[in-house]
């Protein structure tokens, strides 16, 4: 059999050459991004056109020039490191963490069992213990890592279900109508977790929010009482810290007190905002975080690692062993807890060596790096809010509590009923233009523009240009509406 291709695919010298070229290219790209290039943040093409152009590429395959392909991927992607990227909550990964990602991809130590990932398993244990301590858990605290906040939230509620139903549900199922309570502004993955567990729509009790889009804690008791009267067994509250749309932090201390009163599990979805715990200036945003039974924390959001890298922390680490447990024996025997074989506690079997990415940052820069990043982004959000307030054509939805801002173009001469349509069109025009990348969201059925400040190289002057561009677009569109009506 001729194995030429296989030898070629594993040729160390070719790898060295291609790797050097790629890293050089990425370093040049990063330099370019930091100098605020004139390049579009997102070189826009419709999905169909994009697919068509890659189909054409496929027809020319196979080609040996891998760097030409990498270069095309680079230039056609959305540029998260671009300082005018102010869109979704995805980090511009720090280069050291991206290098750790490459190492992880190459070594492929899958980690379900200790032998298949000795280093990353030990580092995962270490990192989770350190973070548990940092956020205020005592020595019982710890956790696991998995691929994404969505999966971590599901795993947390699975653990809650098992523990609050006397450790029987995993094995025997349940005929009770179980339910959890969550703010109506929570990320949609909480709703999905409930439906995946088979609790149906009755299993999710949506608590209304106040004018700052935070869960109304005064409504917890009446909603709980009503659920009980309806025959539901409420087992948990999921708090948002912070919410996705507006970056609003629920009052964790009040929610924790309610949970204590009714013996409910408190899970904090801190996928985005639990990172505030690392900022000396903003850690009060998550006061009461250590009262939670479990916490989701995405490192690939404000903590500068590539996706997906998520921690699921438990106040009592032994609870994490209950999630998929066939029996309660783990409670009786410390050895059974077996932290080193992480597949026992995660939905995933094989997973990436994500702990290495987190540890690379901690080991190289210490906790201070995250403090600097979160503080800078939250400070910038305050200054951005001020820039919005200074422009009478714009309205801020709420004063930002995090690095997420919702606002809209709403000059006094445009009727309220046109504002959603107008702002959606502004956002579409700007998406296709590509100079900035921001998103939109719906608040109380109205469309708002939404900015998340993720890049430490985004400046106040860039944000001022963004607002001018929004207003310019708004005026142009408004003129068009006026003439067409
Ligand atoms: C509050 C919150 N929870 C969960 C998620 C989902 O996280 P992931 O994308 O890591 O699955 C997000 C993502 O934006 C979020 O903002």
């Amino acid at each position: 059999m001729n194995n030429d291709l296989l030898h070629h695919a594993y040729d160390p010298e070719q790898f060295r050459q291609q790797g050097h070229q790629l890293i050089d290219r990425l370093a040049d790209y990063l330099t370019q991004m930091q100098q605020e290039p004139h390049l579009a943040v997102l070189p826009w093409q419709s999905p169909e056109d994009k697919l068509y152009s890659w189909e054409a590429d496929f027809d020319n395959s196979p080609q040996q020039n891998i760097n030409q392909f990498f270069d095309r991927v680079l230039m056609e992607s959305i540029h998260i490191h671009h300082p005018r990227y102010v869109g979704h909550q995805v980090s511009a990964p720090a280069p050291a963490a991206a290098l750790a990602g490459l190492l992880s991809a190459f070594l492929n130590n899958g980690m379900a069992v200790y032998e298949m990932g000795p280093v990353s398993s030990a580092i995962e244990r270490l990192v989770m213990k350190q973070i548990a301590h940092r956020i205020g858990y005592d020595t019982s605290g710890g956790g696991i890592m998995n691929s994404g906040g969505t999966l971590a939230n599901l795993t947390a509620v699975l653990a809650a279900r098992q523990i609050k139903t006397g450790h029987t549900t995993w094995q025997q199922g349940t005929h009770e109508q179980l339910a959890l309570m969550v703010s109506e502004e929570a990320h949609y993955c909480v709703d999905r977790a409930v439906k995946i567990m088979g609790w149906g729509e009755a299993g999710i009790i949506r608590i209304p929010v106040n004018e700052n889009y935070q869960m109304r804690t005064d409504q917890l008791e009446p909603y709980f009482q009503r659920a009980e009267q309806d025959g539901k067994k409420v087992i948990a509250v999921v708090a948002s810290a912070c919410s996705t749309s507006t970056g609003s932090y629920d009052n964790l201390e009040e929610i924790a007190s309610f949970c204590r009163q009714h013996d409910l599990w408190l899970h904090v979805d801190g996928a985005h905002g639990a990172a505030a715990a690392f900022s000396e200036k903003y850690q009060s945003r998550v006061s009461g975080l250590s009262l939670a039974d479990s916490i989701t924390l995405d490192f690939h959001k404000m903590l500068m690692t590539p996706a997906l890298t998520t921690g699921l922390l438990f106040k009592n680490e032994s609870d994490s062993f209950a999630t998929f447990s066939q029996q309660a024996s783990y409670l009786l025997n410390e050895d059974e807890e077996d932290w080193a074989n992480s597949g026992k506690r995660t939905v995933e079997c094989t997973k990436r060596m994500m702990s290495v990415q987190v540890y690379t940052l901690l080991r190289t820069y210490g906790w201070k790096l995250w403090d600097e990043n979160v503080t800078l982004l939250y400070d910038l959000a305050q200054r951005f809010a001020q820039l919005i307030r200074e422009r009478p054509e714009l309205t801020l939805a709420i004063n930002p509590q995090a690095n997420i801002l919702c606002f809209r173009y709403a000059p006094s001469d445009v009727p309220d009923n046109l504002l959603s349509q107008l702002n959606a069109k502004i956002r579409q025009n700007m998406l296709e233009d590509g100079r900035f990348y921001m998103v939109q969201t719906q608040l109380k059925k109205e469309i708002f523009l939404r900015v998340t400040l993720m890049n430490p190289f985004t400046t106040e002057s860039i944000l001022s240009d963004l607002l001018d561009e929004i207003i310019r677009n708004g005026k142009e569109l408004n003129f068009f509406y006026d003439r067409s009506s």
Side-chain angles (χ1 to χ4, degrees):
M1 197 171 86
N2 182 346
N3 288 334
D4 277 3
L5 266 184
L6 280 172
H7 283 291
H8 200 64
Y10 287 92
D11 177 11
E13 281 314 311
Q14 177 179 258
F15 173 58
R16 188 193 312 281
Q17 202 186 25
Q18 289 172 340
H20 283 181
Q21 269 184 37
L22 177 62
I23 299 292
D24 280 346
R25 179 70 182 96
L26 290 175
D28 289 345
Y29 171 85
L30 190 59
T31 309
Q32 193 189 9
M33 291 299 149
Q34 289 177 358
Q35 289 164 354
E36 207 214 327
H38 294 296
L39 196 79
V41 181
L42 171 61
W44 177 254
Q45 234 184 336
S46 73
E48 290 72 24
D49 288 348
K50 186 62 85 189
L51 177 61
Y52 182 73
S53 74
W54 281 102
E55 279 169 350
D57 182 83
F58 186 75
D59 290 341
N60 292 329
S61 298
Q63 288 179 0
Q64 300 297 347
N65 192 337
I66 200 173
N67 284 95
Q68 231 171 34
F69 162 63
F70 285 165
D71 208 54
R72 186 171 165 203
V73 171
L74 189 64
M75 294 324 290
E76 289 189 23
S77 292
I78 182 163
H79 303 304
I80 311 278
H81 289 85
H82 199 306
R84 283 190 258 111
Y85 171 91
V86 288
H88 289 289
Q89 306 144 269
V90 178
S91 77
L99 285 177
L102 172 62
L103 182 66
S104 162
F106 191 89
L107 292 176
N108 217 16
N109 276 213
M111 286 189 70
V113 293
Y114 173 71
E115 295 149 31
M116 286 303 292
V119 177
S120 41
S121 300
I123 289 179
E124 178 172 313
R125 171 76 164 178
L126 169 71
V127 165
M128 287 293 99
K129 277 280 180 195
Q130 286 289 331
I131 290 176
H133 175 66
R134 198 86 189 170
I135 61 169
Y137 281 158
D138 66 22
T139 51
S140 314
I144 46 157
M145 298 186 76
N146 73 10
S147 300
T150 299
L151 204 53
N153 284 337
L154 171 65
T155 308
V157 291
L158 283 170
R161 181 183 71 163
Q162 180 72 340
I163 287 161
K164 294 296 179 188
T165 57
H167 302 274
T168 56
T169 310
W170 184 253
Q171 190 76 340
Q172 297 166 18
T174 177
H175 299 296
E176 287 179 296
Q177 173 62 64
L178 301 178
L180 59 75
M181 302 167 84
V182 65
S183 139
E184 61 185 357
E185 282 293 315
H187 192 269
Y188 67 86
C189 68
V190 178
D191 183 86
R192 275 203 189 160
V194 167
K195 308 282 170 63
I196 288 169
M197 291 187 297
W199 301 357
E201 188 58 25
I204 183 155
I205 300 166
R206 295 187 178 82
I207 309 296
V209 292
N210 64 21
E211 65 287 359
N212 287 319
Y213 297 89
Q214 298 161 300
M215 182 192 281
R216 278 188 56 185
T217 49
D218 63 323
Q219 291 301 304
L220 282 168
E221 189 62 39
Y223 273 75
F224 177 78
Q225 292 304 339
R226 207 168 310 141
E228 296 261 297
Q229 278 160 22
D230 292 345
K232 298 180 189 177
K233 180 177 169 59
V234 180
I235 62 149
V237 178
V238 177
S240 304
C242 52
S243 65
T244 306
S245 289
T246 56
S248 301
Y249 281 90
D250 287 343
N251 187 326
L252 303 182
E253 281 168 354
E254 285 181 16
I255 298 171
S257 155
F258 173 80
C259 287
R260 228 179 357 256
Q261 232 174 309
H262 294 285
D263 189 29
L264 303 178
W265 183 276
L266 171 56
H267 175 66
V268 172
D269 178 4
H272 182 82
F278 301 109
S279 160
E280 235 173 85
K281 182 168 174 184
Y282 290 103
Q283 62 191 3
S284 60
R285 294 281 195 273
V286 286
S287 288
L289 186 62
S290 61
L291 300 170
D293 295 293
S294 54
I295 303 164
T296 292
L297 168 68
D298 274 352
F299 296 93
H300 57 264
K301 292 195 163 70
M302 272 187 287
L303 302 179
M304 308 163 71
T305 72
L308 291 161
T309 309
T310 298
L312 173 58
L313 297 146
F314 288 84
K315 177 158 61 185
N316 207 336
E317 197 187 2
S318 10
D319 287 344
S320 69
F321 293 89
T323 320
F324 307 108
S325 172
Q326 312 282 344
Q327 61 236 325
S329 63
Y330 71 92
L331 288 171
L332 309 173
N333 184 350
E334 278 280 302
D335 294 343
E336 289 280 323
E337 289 195 350
D338 193 10
W339 63 263
N341 294 304
S342 72
K344 289 187 178 173
R345 295 189 281 164
T346 50
V347 173
E348 295 151 299
C349 173
T350 306
K351 67 182 185 192
R352 284 193 314 106
M353 305 163 71
M354 52 193 89
S355 60
V356 177
Q357 297 177 163
V358 177
Y359 192 53
T360 297
L361 292 182
L362 277 180
R363 195 173 184 280
T364 314
Y365 306 103
W367 301 100
K368 189 84 188 85
L369 180 73
W370 289 344
D371 184 356
E372 272 187 25
N373 196 46
V374 175
T375 305
L376 183 148
L377 298 175
Y378 278 38
D379 278 349
L380 189 60
Q382 294 303 320
R383 294 204 298 280
F384 186 39
Q386 187 51 32
L387 294 176
I388 295 170
R389 285 188 209 100
E390 285 164 10
R391 288 164 167 79
E393 302 91 336
L394 301 176
T395 306
L396 198 53
I398 57 164
N399 290 328
Q401 296 168 27
N403 55 341
I404 300 173
L405 292 100
C406 296
F407 59 100
R408 67 199 317 208
Y409 176 71
S412 51
D413 60 333
V414 178
D416 284 357
N417 63 351
L418 286 184
L419 288 178
S420 281
Q421 194 188 358
L422 182 55
N423 280 274
K425 190 74 183 105
I426 292 173
R427 135 87 188 159
Q428 187 61 30
N429 279 3
M430 289 179 67
L431 171 73
E432 291 177 21
D433 168 73
R435 229 168 76 75
F436 292 93
Y437 180 77
M438 63 174 177
V439 297
Q440 68 183 46
T441 192
Q442 257 197 29
L443 301 176
K444 299 189 179 120
K445 302 206 170 101
E446 288 288 308
I447 292 192
F448 278 72
L449 304 173
R450 177 171 172 274
V451 159
T452 308
L453 302 168
M454 294 304 291
N455 187 332
F457 291 92
T458 301
T459 60
E460 222 172 311
S461 134
I462 289 174
L463 294 174
S464 183
D465 286 352
L466 167 68
L467 296 180
D468 292 345
E469 185 77 7
I470 291 169
I471 293 170
R472 196 186 58 71
N473 262 282
K475 280 187 175 147
E476 239 174 65
L477 288 164
N478 196 15
F479 176 70
F480 170 76
Y481 282 135
D482 271 358
R483 288 166 56 113
S484 61
S485 58

